[in-house]
């Protein structure tokens, strides 16, 4: 019998996750929900800013309202605001190149 004929199959590919990894995976939905709630509260404070201050960060009052209307309670409205600010910035760059 040759050495290549005798192989031992080791099940090394299936590692069980350690307790901290399982705990982190189990708490991920809860932390996501908490982050969305915290971001929602921070967006509420943006209503206190003036229109000029909102314009400085690339937002408008309509963006704030549409972020809340476009997202459900369990979704994070900050993603919508980020997209709005980036789109407004790109549009301003495009307009500056046209001139």
């Amino acid at each position: 019998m040759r050495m290549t004929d005798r192989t031992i199959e080791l099940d090394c590919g299936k590692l069980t996750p350690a307790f901290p990894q399982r705990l982190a995976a189990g708490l991920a939905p809860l932390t996501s929900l908490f982050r969305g709630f915290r971001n929602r509260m921070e967006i509420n404070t943006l209503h206190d800013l003036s229109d000029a201050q909102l314009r400085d960060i690339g937002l408008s009052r309509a963006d704030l309202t549409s972020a809340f209307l476009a997202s459900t309670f369990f979704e994070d409205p900050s993603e919508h605001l980020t997209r709005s600010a980036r789109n407004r910035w790109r549009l301003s760059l495009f307009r500056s190149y046209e001139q």
Side-chain angles (χ1 to χ4, degrees):
M1 182 180 295
R2 295 189 316 233
M3 185 62 141
T4 56
D5 291 338
R6 295 194 69 183
T7 58
I8 300 174
E9 292 197 23
L10 299 175
D11 197 14
C12 294
K14 298 178 182 177
L15 296 175
T16 58
F19 177 72
Q21 293 169 331
R22 290 191 313 245
L23 183 65
L27 292 178
L30 185 62
T31 56
S32 176
L33 183 68
F34 177 72
R35 184 181 307 115
F37 179 73
R38 187 187 63 213
N39 288 345
R40 200 172 272 278
M41 297 302 289
E42 290 296 324
I43 291 171
N44 275 335
T45 60
L46 291 176
H47 284 288
D48 297 337
L49 298 177
S50 69
D51 289 335
Q53 290 171 327
L54 285 173
R55 199 172 28 251
D56 283 344
I57 60 175
L59 295 173
S60 67
R61 296 232 180 258
D63 292 334
L64 298 177
T65 305
S66 66
F68 281 115
L69 294 177
S71 62
T72 64
F73 180 75
F74 296 107
E75 293 176 340
D76 191 359
S78 65
E79 296 171 7
H80 178 76
L81 286 179
T82 303
R83 252 184 276 120
S84 296
R86 285 182 182 159
N87 289 341
R88 185 166 286 114
W89 177 74
R90 288 178 185 142
L91 184 62
S92 69
L93 282 179
F94 180 72
R95 286 182 182 164
S96 67
Y97 285 127
E98 283 182 343
Q99 296 173 358

